[in-house]
């Protein structure tokens, strides 16, 4: 079999360990909380950092992860406590220093010596740059994390069997019926969970019907976003603009007295990069050298979208007396997606057309702007 030319950029989680989490979920009265999954994944990531195949952590810092992920220390401590009580991890003294040992990692990393199979899924590093884990912990949604891990497991298999290595052609499908059962939620709850997962997955719905005032969806199709499989570079010179817009977002939150965490701000900027910037990478000025028009458009669009959201918040506060974001990042993502097609009509179509040709010529793939305008 020809090896796929792409792979998920991340770290291993052995399938046998995941099955132990599932066993507790299905066979005991102590269901693994979302925080336990999160702490275990951060430990696996640290194992890769320390390059320790034996499952021994010498420099794990729970406070660091609490700050990075925007989850309270006490909540993550509870997750770590759960892992200890159920023997996923334990603290030992090695050479006079405390270490954390992850059960069976050494065994599963050396299958040739232990009569076990090397079977694992890959968790992308990009997960820790999103708000997914914080949202699922905040909403006590371990099922959302289990769906995430299930999809990642299938994507690793799909990539390994792919003959072309073309990521966008590798898709996983779930029926709404299956998602309701797996997430233990109604259709609205399923859609909320999927809106959080959109930071890592492109999600398409098929079989959509309107029945009365309700939306019925038959099936959801998932594909992995590029952030999970390739190194993030600044090939298109957008980091400086991203930094400026991030500051504008802070002013917006403060001005509207919106409580937010650093992870929320990062999540909004990731949404903007995925929904807007990535679609305009190849939009150049008429001189075919500079990106003045593109950058001016992106800044204006970002500010105008914030204005629209501000109006919505004000209206809802007048109507209901208060306003609450289910997920700040997901809300902004939907707004960017809603307003972008109309805003693009303000750009001379000749430049849009040239951008499409330029992207297709360089990548051989359908341009990101195709279908939008």
């Amino acid at each position: 079999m020809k090896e796929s030319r792409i792979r998920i950029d991340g770290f291993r989680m052995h399938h046998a360990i995941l099955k132990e989490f599932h066993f507790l979920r299905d066979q005991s009265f102590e269901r693994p909380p979302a925080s336990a999954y999160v702490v275990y994944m951060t430990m696996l990531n640290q194992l890769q950092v320390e390059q320790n195949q034996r499952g021994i952590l010498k420099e794990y810092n729970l406070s660091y992860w609490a700050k990075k992920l925007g989850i309270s220390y006490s909540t993550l401590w509870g997750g770590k406590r759960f892992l200890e009580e159920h023997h996923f991890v334990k603290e030992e003294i090695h050479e006079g220093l405390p270490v954390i040992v992850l059960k069976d990692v050494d065994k599963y990393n050396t299958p040739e010596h232990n009569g076990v199979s090397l079977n694992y899924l890959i968790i992308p590093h990009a997960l820790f740059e999103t708000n997914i884990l914080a949202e699922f912990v905040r909403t006590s949604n371990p099922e959302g994390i289990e769906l995430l891990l299930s999809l990642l497991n299938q994507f690793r298999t799909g990539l390994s069997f792919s003959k072309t290595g073309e990521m966008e052609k590798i898709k996983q499908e779930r029926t709404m019926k299956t998602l309701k059962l797996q997430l233990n939620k109604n259709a609205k709850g399923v859609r909320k969970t999927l809106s959080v997962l959109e930071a890592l997955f492109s999600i398409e719905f098929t079989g959509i019907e309107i029945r009365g005032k309700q939306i019925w969806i038959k099936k959801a199709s998932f594909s992995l976003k590029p952030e999970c499989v390739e190194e993030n570079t600044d090939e298109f010179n957008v980091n400086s603009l991203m930094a400026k817009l991030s500051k504008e977002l802070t002013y917006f939150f403060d001005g509207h007295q919106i409580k937010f965490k650093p992870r929320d701000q990062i999540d909004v900027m990731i949404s903007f990069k995925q929904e807007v910037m990535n679609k305009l990478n190849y939009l150049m000025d008429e001189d075919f050298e500079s990106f003045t028009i593109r950058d001016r458009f992106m800044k204006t669009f970002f500010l105008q979208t914030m204005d629209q959201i501000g109006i919505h918040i004000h209206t809802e506060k007048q109507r209901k007396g208060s306003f609450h974001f289910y997920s700040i990042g997901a809300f902004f993502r939907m707004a960017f997606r809603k307003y972008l097609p109309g805003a693009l009509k303000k750009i001379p179509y000749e430049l849009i057309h040239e951008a499409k040709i330029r992207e297709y010529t360089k990548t051989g793939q359908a341009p990101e702007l195709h279908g939008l305008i």
Side-chain angles (χ1 to χ4, degrees), residues 90-316:
K90 62 180 177 179
E91 293 192 2
E92 295 181 353
I93 301 297
H94 287 195
E95 299 176 351
L97 296 173
V99 300
I100 297 174
V101 181
L102 279 67
K103 185 189 73 168
D104 290 340
V105 167
D106 186 21
K107 178 175 73 173
Y108 292 124
N109 275 338
T110 53
E112 65 277 8
H113 300 312
N114 295 285
V116 297
S117 60
L118 184 61
N119 189 0
Y120 57 88
L121 57 106
I122 300 291
I123 300 171
H125 295 298
L127 174 62
F128 295 136
E129 304 306 324
T130 73
N131 212 29
I132 290 175
L133 299 178
E135 283 298 319
F136 287 156
V137 169
R138 182 180 69 82
T139 56
S140 300
N141 189 359
E143 296 91 349
I145 295 179
E146 288 160 2
L147 173 60
L148 166 71
L149 295 175
S150 171
L151 288 167
L152 291 174
N153 187 40
Q154 287 191 301
F155 273 110
R156 178 185 176 271
T157 303
L159 286 169
S160 65
F161 282 94
S162 172
K163 294 181 180 179
T164 63
E166 295 178 14
M167 178 183 54
E168 63 279 357
K169 292 185 178 180
I170 302 172
K171 297 182 182 295
Q172 306 297 336
E173 293 183 342
R174 297 285 194 282
T175 64
M176 180 56 78
K177 181 179 179 181
T178 298
L179 289 170
K180 286 179 179 178
L181 288 172
Q182 186 169 1
L183 295 172
N184 192 29
K185 297 184 184 301
N186 59 21
K188 184 178 180 181
V190 169
R191 290 197 298 271
K192 283 185 176 181
T193 296
L194 298 189
S195 73
V196 175
L197 288 176
E198 281 192 303
L200 283 190
F201 300 98
S202 295
I203 304 174
E204 297 178 359
F205 298 111
T206 56
I208 300 176
E209 296 180 15
I210 306 295
R211 301 181 187 176
K213 295 183 179 181
Q214 290 185 313
I215 299 176
W216 291 73
I217 298 170
K218 184 177 181 181
K219 187 185 298 183
S221 175
F222 302 81
S223 58
L224 209 54
K225 288 191 171 178
E227 285 84 351
C228 300
V229 297
E230 60 186 20
E231 192 172 346
N232 203 358
T233 66
D234 195 30
E235 179 184 358
F236 299 100
N237 302 312
V238 296
N239 282 351
S240 177
L241 178 61
M242 284 277 279
K244 293 177 183 177
L245 296 181
S246 185
K247 289 182 180 179
E248 294 289 342
L249 184 63
T250 301
Y251 298 145
F252 173 82
F253 285 149
D254 291 342
H256 287 276
Q257 297 180 323
I258 297 171
K259 293 182 180 180
F260 71 101
K261 298 176 180 178
R263 297 262 19 113
D264 292 315
Q265 187 167 3
I266 293 171
D267 205 35
V268 171
M269 300 316 299
I270 288 174
S271 298
F272 186 70
K273 185 174 187 300
Q274 293 175 343
E275 299 296 336
V276 182
M277 285 187 164
N278 287 354
K279 293 175 171 57
L280 297 172
N281 279 332
Y282 294 87
L283 180 67
M284 301 184 73
D285 295 352
E286 293 169 331
D287 60 7
F288 303 128
E289 293 181 2
S290 53
F291 297 91
T292 305
I293 292 175
R294 181 200 69 177
D295 290 355
R296 187 184 301 131
F297 169 85
M298 289 195 294
K299 180 179 180 180
T300 301
F301 176 73
F302 187 88
L303 297 177
Q304 289 179 344
T305 301
M306 284 199 301
D307 287 342
Q308 291 294 327
I309 292 174
I311 292 171
H312 177 74
I313 292 172
H314 179 70
T315 302
E316 289 298 293

Side-chain angles (χ1 to χ4, degrees), residues 23-55:
F23 179 82
L24 280 175
R25 175 194 67 189
D26 300 332
Q27 304 295 329
S28 79
F29 295 104
E30 294 189 86
R31 194 195 199 296
S35 58
Y37 282 109
V38 172
V39 172
Y40 193 78
M41 284 189 278
T42 63
M43 288 181 172
L44 291 176
N45 182 81
Q46 184 64 24
L47 279 180
Q48 187 186 63
V49 172
E50 296 185 23
Q51 294 292 300
N52 191 303
Q53 295 294 308
R54 295 180 57 201

